[in-house]
Amino acid sequence: MNDYDGPWLVVGLGNPGDEYARNRHNIGFLVVDLLAQRIGARFKTHKSRSQIAEGRIGGKRVVLAKPMTFMNLSGGPTTALRDFYKAPTSAIVAVHDELDIDYATLRLKLGGGDNGHNGLKSITKSLGPEYHRLRCGIGRPPGRMDVADFVLKDFSATERKELDWFVDRSADAVEALLTEGLERAQGTYNS
C-alpha cells in the first residue's frame, strides 16, 4: 500500500436519519463526523448514495463517507465510492460497532469475517473481505434483549459519559492507521 497515492476511503457505518443519530449502530457516523471536523471538511451529497467529505490526514488524501442507505445496504455505496475513486479494496476502512468487544474498546484489522454484522456482510458481499475495519466495541445487550433492539437504542447515560472520549480515540485510531500503518496502529489502539 505504500505506493498507492490515491485517496483512502473511510466509511462510517450507520443509518441515515435523526432518529438513529445517537444509536450504538451509528458509532461509525460519529467517528467520520469528528474526522471531518478535524480536517475542516464539510459533507456533501455524492452520486454514490453517500455523504462525503474530502481532505488530508497526515498528508494522505482521504474521503470520509456516510452511506445514506440503511446499514444492511452499505455495500452498494461503498462499492460505488471505490469505483469512482479507483481505490483498491485495501484502501477502504469500515468504521463500525462491534457487539463482541467491551464498550469503548477498539480493534483494528485487515480482512476477516462479518461476525453477523449486516453492514459488513453487505460490504464483503460487494467487495470481498480484504478491507480494513475499525471495530468499535459496544458490548453485548443486557439480559435477553434482542440484538437488533440493542444496537438501535441510543447509548445509555453511563455510556454517554465516555462517548466523546470513545469517538475521539476511534478517530485517533483511524488517523494512526493512515499515517503509521496497520501494525503500529494496532500496537497503540488494540487493547
Side-chain angles (χ1 to χ4, degrees):
M1 284 295 301
N2 290 345
D3 58 347
Y4 174 67
D5 67 351
W8 278 75
L9 308 177
V10 180
V11 182
L13 300 187
N15 287 311
D18 290 342
E19 68 270 32
Y20 300 106
R22 301 299 279 179
N23 287 181
R24 291 179 181 95
H25 224 17
N26 275 40
I27 188 80
F29 278 16
L30 297 175
V31 173
V32 295
D33 283 342
L34 178 58
L35 286 166
Q37 184 182 326
R38 286 181 179 181
I39 64 173
R42 292 192 186 281
F43 282 94
K44 63 185 184 224
T45 301
H46 188 265
K47 65 182 181 179
S48 63
R49 294 176 299 161
S50 299
Q51 293 282 319
I52 66 163
E54 298 181 71
R56 292 193 171 272
I57 292 177
K60 293 200 188 290
R61 289 173 51 210
V62 65
V63 176
L64 307 170
K66 297 188 288 187
M68 291 290 108
T69 57
F70 283 92
M71 176 72 78
N72 59 355
L73 300 173
S74 299
T78 304
T79 301
L81 285 165
R82 182 207 55 190
D83 294 349
F84 182 84
Y85 288 100
K86 298 175 178 41
T89 303
S90 57
I92 296 171
V93 183
V95 181
H96 64 91
D97 59 305
E98 178 62 57
L99 288 163
D100 289 333
I101 301 175
D102 289 340
Y103 179 71
T105 302
L106 301 175
R107 296 273 193 293
L108 282 159
K109 67 185 246 182
L110 173 63
D114 58 52
N115 205 21
H117 191 289
N118 289 331
L120 296 182
K121 204 175 285 187
S122 177
I123 293 172
T124 299
K125 184 177 178 185
S126 296
L127 300 177
E130 291 305 308
Y131 55 92
H132 288 85
R133 299 108 191 272
L134 174 59
R135 303 163 68 207
C136 303
I138 60 167
R140 302 292 306 175
R144 295 178 182 215
M145 181 186 282
D146 181 66
V147 167
D149 291 339
F150 180 69
V151 299
L152 293 175
K153 282 201 179 314
D154 286 356
F155 289 97
S156 71
T158 303
E159 291 168 333
R160 282 194 302 272
K161 290 177 185 169
E162 279 188 83
L163 185 59
D164 287 344
W165 174 85
F166 181 24
V167 171
D168 194 58
R169 185 164 167 79
S170 300
D172 291 348
V174 171
E175 290 183 359
L177 171 64
L178 300 186
T179 59
E180 300 171 19
L182 179 61
E183 204 169 294
R184 286 191 65 189
Q186 285 175 319
T188 304
Y189 293 96
N190 287 15
S191 39

